Amino acid sequence: MTTSTNLPGHPQVPNLAEVPGSILGRESAVTKVLLRRSAAARRARYSTIKIWVGAICAGVVVIPVVLAGVLPLPDPIVGALSESSLPPFSAGHLLGTDPNGRDLLSRILHGGQTSLVIGFLAIFVSGLFGIVAGAAAGYFGGWVDTIISRLLEAQMALPLLLMLLLVVALFGPSIPVITLVIAFAQWPEPARITRALVLVEREKPYVAAARVLGLPKFSILSRHVVPNILQQVLVVVLLLLAQAVLLESALSFLGAGVQRPYPTWGGIISDGRELFVTGKPWLVTVPGLAIALLVVGVNLVGDGLRDRVRRAKGDQT
Amino acid sequence: MLKYVLKRVGQTILTAFLAVATVFVLLRMAPGDPAANYAPPNPSSEQLEAIRQQFGLDQPVPVQFWTFLQHLFQGDVGTSFFFKRPALDVVLERLPYTITLAVAAIIVTSAVAIPLGVWMARRSNTAPELGANIGTIAGQSMPDFWIGFVLLILFAVNLHWFAPSGFDSAASIILPTVTIAILQIALISRLVRREMVVNLASPYLTVARSRGVSERALTWRYAFSNAALPVVTALGTRFAAMLNGVVIVEVVFNWPGVGELVVNALKQRDFPLIQATVLVTVLLALVVQLIVDLLYPLMDPRVRLGEASS
């Protein structure tokens, strides 16, 4: 993507425009300004902007959440009743406190740890399962494809949120259960993408070459096909992290999250819902901002990366 | 064509049956005794046993399911534990509220998302489009219950423009509709943009432009009529999903729809009411999906359903 005629790292290449008598001895009509304004260069620049803005948004939330145990914060579970319902920017409580006198910043950061652990575990499980199922369906076809495709369709028709609430009620709202429930809700997306990509990939010459060389089907799939599509699938899995955080907060909000007194983002907002009417809106707005910032950040990074991966693959849009 | 419709109707019934059966079994496996919720305070074990017998919960689960199916074929979905009335009637009373909300949300979504998406496609790779693009990403990144609360804090608590919750006047529908529409606009406008970019860059458009067709006609008559099919499909799917319950938004605004109904029924372990809600909403969502699929050949003459299915 370099616009310079002197390629960096190749200083010995003579600039043809300066060679006397050369047919290129006139200014090219394609100026650097035009190149910089071209659609391709713009797209590259905008995807970089998206990735940076996204990384900053996500970092602002993720870094303090990871450091929550180290930072000098008040206890997130036990509060002092003498300090109940302080507004933001009070002494010692940057974001204020809830009616139980618990520090809101501390609760948001500790709650974020739960949300992030659940989110990462969930996309790991759903990504792994989705890629394996999608690759098998796309590569082997036949009855494998039929079963997996039918499963994907059947799940679309189910009232998903209700099912998730029921399963959490059934097995108890522990971190493994909530993680698996979210992974179950999410596996169709990576599976569908992987299947579609593998369907295209398996018709390419290198797969035929590997088959002629006598490689077993499984090795072709795992060592040649999957590595070629992994980049595109992983971007989709990264975008699922945003969905996982949102879904976890929605489950917490409906009471199917990690139980009180342990803070979760959805739980903090749910606790604040009766209180904003009485003039304590920060208990609702601030934790939601944390979720929104993180999810916007992840979505922007994922979207920017997707633009890049697509461009690298050379197809449009 | 007829064969296709029959096949799809069969699939619809099978899927709805599957959904209800799954919920039926999950409900009976879940901990918590429904009888305890409907007995007088400090009930004796005889009282609890009597209530279980009255609800039919003393039978083994397969027997309960068989009884449920027999009643279902006679058009009886069961009696709500809580309301002591036929569960179907309770659901059908609440259904118009959910449908109204879903229709309002889908109208607002289409009215905003389609022009926005077309604009983004035409201004592709410019600074204003980057802004709109980031805006749509932000729109799909906020938790819907949080958007609802922020709107309530702004417009109900501080400005007193609307009643804080429930359904008292026609204006009550505005805030829940906006809450749903923000996410849907973000998703649909990005889809419109994607489809339009492909069509605007395709050769048939260049040919039409070289014949002197105006830009407005190129955008709407040529490119958009080709981009419309996936968009209508997506709108149909979104609408169907909303009928399955805009659960969270209904809970936030105390909207008396089926989503709010089913969350309360779940808390009260009102098994027949949950089953009836699942049956009705899943069937309705599947029927909407079926109608959208049947509209395909009307919108796009290239699609022939009978051939596609055989």
Side-chain angles (χ1 to χ4, degrees):
Chain A
M1 278 292 153
T2 170
T3 55
S4 147
T5 44
N6 273 325
L7 294 171
H10 297 275
Q12 73 276 23
V13 174
N15 189 340
L16 286 178
E18 286 161 16
V19 179
S22 157
I23 47 163
L24 292 174
R26 55 187 154 79
E27 278 290 308
S28 165
V30 184
T31 62
K32 285 179 190 174
V33 178
L34 280 178
L35 279 175
R36 223 178 302 130
R37 282 191 193 152
S38 71
R42 274 194 188 151
R43 209 159 34 228
R45 215 156 44 235
Y46 290 159
S47 71
T48 313
I49 293 177
K50 276 190 207 165
I51 291 172
W52 274 104
V53 172
I56 291 169
C57 287
V60 165
V61 181
V62 171
I63 294 170
V65 164
V66 171
L67 297 177
V70 191
L71 294 171
L73 289 168
D75 192 285
I77 296 165
V78 186
L81 279 177
S82 58
E83 295 184 321
S84 80
S85 302
L86 293 174
F89 305 113
S90 306
H93 301 286
L94 186 61
L95 298 180
T97 57
D98 68 4
N100 294 320
R102 298 176 294 195
D103 183 69
L104 187 59
L105 178 65
S106 172
R107 282 180 70 71
I108 290 175
L109 294 187
H110 283 94
Q113 289 188 331
T114 320
S115 298
L116 280 182
V117 165
I118 291 177
F120 275 110
L121 286 176
I123 61 165
F124 178 75
V125 175
S126 62
L128 194 68
F129 193 68
I131 291 172
V132 170
Y139 193 75
F140 297 118
W143 60 268
V144 182
D145 189 24
T146 309
I147 291 179
I148 291 170
S149 299
R150 284 285 165 280
L151 274 178
L152 288 172
E153 277 171 30
Q155 190 167 335
M156 288 219 353
L158 295 177
L160 197 63
L161 193 60
L162 186 64
M163 297 284 204
L164 302 187
L165 289 175
L166 264 175
V167 174
V168 174
L170 184 56
F171 294 102
S174 64
I175 289 182
V177 170
I178 295 169
T179 304
L180 287 178
V181 155
I182 294 175
F184 173 75
Q186 293 196 322
W187 77 277
E189 191 141 347
R192 215 169 282 138
I193 297 273
T194 310
R195 179 176 172 275
L197 289 171
V198 168
L199 277 178
V200 176
E201 207 72 13
R202 72 166 184 194
E203 303 301 330
K204 291 191 176 171
Y206 75 89
V207 176
R211 209 178 296 138
V212 169
L213 288 173
L215 226 57
K217 269 188 173 179
F218 183 75
S219 312
I220 300 178
L221 186 57
S222 62
R223 281 167 52 194
H224 294 277
V225 176
V226 170
N228 268 313
I229 58 159
L230 202 57
Q231 209 185 5
Q232 276 162 293
V233 178
L234 285 184
V235 173
V236 173
V237 174
L238 174 68
L239 284 169
L240 283 185
L241 177 64
Q243 299 301 316
V245 170
L246 283 180
L247 191 52
E248 192 274 331
S249 72
L251 285 174
S252 297
F253 171 74
L254 290 173
V258 176
Q259 292 301 290
R260 294 186 184 90
Y262 297 102
T264 60
W265 284 343
I268 299 172
I269 297 178
S270 182
D271 287 350
R273 61 197 287 200
E274 272 94 34
L275 302 164
F276 71 76
V277 187
T278 54
K280 303 180 190 76
W282 67 90
L283 291 172
V284 168
T285 47
V286 178
L289 271 182
I291 304 178
L293 258 184
L294 173 69
V295 177
V296 168
V298 173
N299 273 333
L300 278 174
V301 171
D303 208 58
L305 284 177
R306 191 162 54 185
D307 291 350
R308 287 201 169 179
V309 172
R310 277 197 192 132
R311 204 169 56 246
K313 288 279 167 189
D315 48 27
Q316 286 297 304
T317 70
Chain B
M1 182 69 188
L2 186 69
K3 208 171 128 195
Y4 174 80
V5 175
L6 283 178
K7 192 178 155 196
R8 285 294 309 268
V9 169
Q11 278 176 354
T12 303
I13 293 171
L14 194 70
T15 318
F17 173 78
L18 212 70
V20 174
T22 316
V23 169
F24 191 96
V25 174
L26 279 176
L27 276 174
R28 269 132 190 103
M29 281 162 66
D33 183 3
N37 288 342
Y38 302 99
N42 302 318
S44 64
S45 55
E46 288 85 28
Q47 278 174 317
L48 282 179
E49 194 50 46
I51 290 172
R52 264 183 231 126
Q53 231 163 38
Q54 183 201 333
F55 290 164
L57 296 172
D58 51 340
Q59 306 286 324
V61 175
V63 177
Q64 286 184 40
F65 192 57
W66 180 238
T67 319
F68 172 72
L69 285 184
Q70 280 174 328
H71 288 173
L72 194 61
F73 279 115
Q74 294 156 14
D76 173 17
V77 188
T79 306
S80 161
F81 294 169
F82 181 77
F83 293 98
K84 314 274 186 245
R85 291 195 293 137
L88 194 62
D89 293 358
V90 179
V91 176
L92 292 181
E93 270 166 29
R94 299 292 199 99
L95 201 57
Y97 291 96
T98 293
I99 294 180
T100 312
L101 192 55
V103 169
I106 217 75
I107 289 174
V108 173
T109 303
S110 317
V112 179
I114 291 174
L116 180 64
V118 170
W119 178 84
M120 287 201 293
R122 288 207 54 98
R123 292 272 176 284
S124 198
N125 297 313
T126 63
E129 194 263 342
L130 177 68
N133 201 324
I134 293 180
T136 56
I137 290 181
Q140 50 178 297
S141 301
M142 294 180 283
D144 39 9
F145 55 94
W146 182 69
I147 298 178
F149 283 138
V150 170
L151 291 177
L152 277 176
I153 290 172
L154 274 179
F155 296 108
V157 178
N158 287 334
L159 295 172
H160 299 291
W161 286 4
F162 303 102
S165 69
F167 178 82
D168 13 24
S169 67
S172 319
I173 200 172
I174 295 177
L175 290 184
T177 306
V178 171
T179 307
I180 303 172
I182 286 177
L183 172 69
Q184 305 298 336
I185 288 169
L187 293 170
I188 297 288
S189 65
R190 291 174 72 80
L191 176 71
V192 172
R193 175 184 168 274
R194 216 163 42 234
E195 292 296 327
M196 282 299 284
V197 165
V198 175
N199 279 296
L200 284 173
S202 54
Y204 75 84
L205 209 83
T206 316
V207 173
R209 183 176 283 131
S210 70
R211 285 188 312 165
V213 178
S214 73
E215 284 299 311
R216 177 190 283 267
L218 282 179
T219 308
W220 292 103
R221 274 232 336 269
Y222 286 69
F224 184 72
S225 53
N226 275 300
L229 195 62
V231 174
V232 171
T233 313
L235 283 172
T237 313
R238 299 267 143 208
F239 183 68
M242 281 182 213
L243 292 179
N244 251 331
V246 262
V247 177
I248 291 182
V249 174
E250 287 184 5
V251 171
V252 168
F253 290 96
N254 278 324
W255 186 259
V258 287
E260 202 238 0
L261 181 71
V262 81
V263 168
N264 286 332
L266 203 57
K267 278 183 198 146
Q268 291 152 344
R269 299 264 185 271
D270 192 342
F271 293 173
L273 190 54
I274 299 171
Q275 284 149 208
T277 316
V278 170
L279 187 67
V280 170
T281 54
V282 167
L283 265 180
L284 202 61
L286 288 168
V287 167
V288 170
Q289 198 69 63
L290 182 62
I291 292 172
V292 172
D293 286 355
L294 291 179
L295 285 178
Y296 263 22
L298 294 183
M299 293 191 305
D300 187 346
R302 286 172 301 187
V303 180
R304 289 281 171 271
L305 291 175
E307 290 156 31
S309 65
S310 58

